[in-house]
Amino acid sequence: MNTLETERMSHLRDYAIQCLKDEAEALLDLIPQLDDNFDKAVKMMYECKGKIIVTGVGKSGNIGAKIAGTLASTGTPSFFVNPLDVFHGDLGVMTSEDIVLALSNSGQTDELLRFIPMLLHMNVPIIAMSGNENSLLAKYSTIHIKVWVKKEACPLNLAPTSSTTAALAMGDALSIALMEIRDFKPKDFAQFHPGGELGKRLLTTAEDVMRTEELPIIPKDMHLGEAIIHVSKGKLGLGVSLEDNKVIGIITDGDIRRAMEKWQAQFFDKTVSDIMTENPKTVLPSTKVTEIQHIMHKYKIHTVLVVDNDRHLLGVVDHYSCML
């Protein structure tokens, strides 16, 4: 390694800092570029009866694929098509009810422009996203969203860096705006992400995670000395009292400790009914884990009982069962 290389190696972090600053500035510069065209684009995408078909070439294509994925996962039917593939059969997936979101920093990408006449012939609306509002892409688009950057983060001002970051961010802005209009909720997100952590918590029910075997059942007239044994064997830190097979109360480790401190020598003369909490928190088998977590947090409890509509005990869900 020569002296010049050694000197450059000593500034690696400085290069990274400058790159991040340049790209951050490019993102902030997008804010004043937002205009009525952004509003019109979101409205058109929201009212679209077909699909949002995202397209772009090269790095713009890579960004377009990610934007299509974000749109699709947040409630807007969308997928990515490479303009080069359109000439080999992919045009058949498009209809006049679709919208094309076309990305090109220059707005002059040849492969993309050759795709435009086909869309115009099919009366497919085009939302263009480029840094050149005077480009051919902008001219022939239905709506043009300006995504212009002063310079690339690349020291040669050649490699797509700030421009692709800006395009990606504008795609996210479109997606977020559409989510807000649709009133897209966590439960909706879970339906599009069933394999993720959020999806699991939002789709999993009490029936999926409840413990059903060897439940610590204790009658209300059982003496506390015997009840302790049942609670301990149950390994749930609680005992459930039933009457006519219906839940009428619950005692916990904490209840037992407080009773021992309160009654001391008389503790063993007391029964479950003396300390049990009547009408404990219960949920139905169909209750989602997220709702169970909300109940536990709100009432500062660690377990809930799963019952049917007649309050027959079906199982127990504790805090650890909800940790998916």
Side-chain angles (χ1 to χ4, degrees):
M1 187 178 295
N2 59 40
T3 303
L4 181 58
E5 289 173 332
T6 301
E7 174 64 20
R8 288 174 176 169
M9 287 291 287
S10 67
H11 293 286
L12 295 180
R13 195 172 301 174
D14 293 334
Y15 305 147
I17 291 172
Q18 187 58 50
C19 174
L20 295 175
K21 285 183 176 179
D22 288 342
E23 296 202 3
E25 182 179 355
L27 293 183
L28 292 175
D29 286 344
L30 291 180
I31 296 175
Q33 296 182 54
L34 291 172
D35 55 19
D36 290 345
N37 284 340
F38 180 87
D39 301 347
K40 292 175 183 177
V42 173
K43 185 174 184 294
M44 179 184 288
M45 293 169 76
Y46 175 69
E47 295 175 348
C48 177
K49 293 182 172 129
K51 308 168 293 294
I52 308 298
I53 299 172
V54 188
T55 188
V57 178
K59 300 299 187 298
S60 292
N62 295 333
I63 297 302
K66 191 275 178 186
I67 292 174
T70 301
L71 287 168
S73 68
T74 53
T76 301
S78 176
F79 61 87
F80 176 79
V81 169
N82 190 317
L84 301 177
D85 294 332
V86 170
F87 301 100
H88 302 281
D90 281 8
L91 190 64
V93 303
M94 299 186 193
T95 72
S96 59
E97 292 189 334
D98 298 331
I99 293 174
V100 166
L101 175 61
L103 280 67
S104 169
N105 184 43
S106 67
Q108 299 289 133
T109 306
D110 181 63
E111 297 91 340
L112 189 60
L113 293 177
R114 285 192 283 124
F115 177 29
I116 301 300
M118 302 179 189
L119 300 177
L120 296 177
H121 177 72
M122 295 176 62
N123 292 318
V124 176
I126 303 169
I127 298 174
M129 187 186 299
S130 82
N132 184 0
E133 56 191 346
N134 297 312
S135 64
L136 288 174
L137 177 61
K139 178 180 178 181
Y140 288 105
S141 63
T142 311
I143 299 171
H144 179 257
I145 299 176
K146 184 179 178 182
V147 184
W148 176 81
V149 297
K150 294 177 183 176
K151 65 183 181 69
E152 301 288 2
C154 164
L156 302 177
N157 197 30
L158 295 174
T161 45
S162 295
S163 60
T164 49
T165 300
L168 180 63
M170 188 62 76
D172 286 342
L174 288 169
S175 300
I176 298 305
L178 286 164
M179 287 179 69
E180 292 287 353
I181 293 176
R182 298 184 195 283
D183 195 25
F184 201 77
K185 300 295 185 184
K187 63 180 178 61
D188 302 312
F189 190 87
Q191 292 176 351
F192 292 95
H193 300 75
E197 179 182 349
L198 177 61
K200 289 179 181 177
R201 287 193 286 113
L202 287 167
L203 299 179
T204 302
T205 64
E207 187 174 20
D208 296 323
V209 299
M210 68 184 183
R211 174 175 160 182
T212 59
E213 298 180 355
E214 299 181 1
L215 299 178
I217 308 300
I218 50 178
K220 65 178 182 179
D221 57 357
M222 178 181 284
H223 284 90
L224 292 180
E226 186 178 357
I228 291 176
I229 299 174
H230 287 270
V231 171
S232 179
K233 286 183 177 179
K235 297 181 179 179
L236 286 170
L238 57 80
V240 185
S241 185
L242 306 180
E243 190 169 79
D244 296 329
N245 291 323
K246 297 181 180 181
V247 173
I248 60 170
I250 187 175
I251 66 171
T252 66
D253 284 336
D255 294 330
I256 293 172
R257 287 194 301 271
R258 286 186 289 272
M260 294 179 71
E261 293 174 0
K262 178 180 179 180
W263 287 310
Q264 298 185 16
Q266 288 77 40
F267 171 80
F268 292 97
D269 297 327
K270 301 297 181 180
T271 64
V272 170
S273 61
D274 291 320
I275 68 169
M276 74 179 186
T277 299
E278 298 180 354
N279 300 316
K281 300 304 175 187
T282 61
V283 298
L284 294 173
S286 59
T287 304
K288 298 293 191 296
V289 164
T290 47
E291 176 62 20
I292 293 174
Q293 290 176 317
H294 173 72
I295 292 172
M296 290 179 178
H297 177 74
K298 180 178 179 179
Y299 295 102
K300 295 180 173 57
I301 55 178
H302 299 287
T303 55
V304 294
L305 307 181
V306 184
V307 300
D308 62 18
N309 291 323
D310 294 319
R311 291 187 68 81
H312 294 132
L313 182 66
L314 302 177
V316 176
V317 176
D318 62 13
H319 170 74
Y320 298 103
S321 302
C322 298
M323 299 174 65
L324 301 174

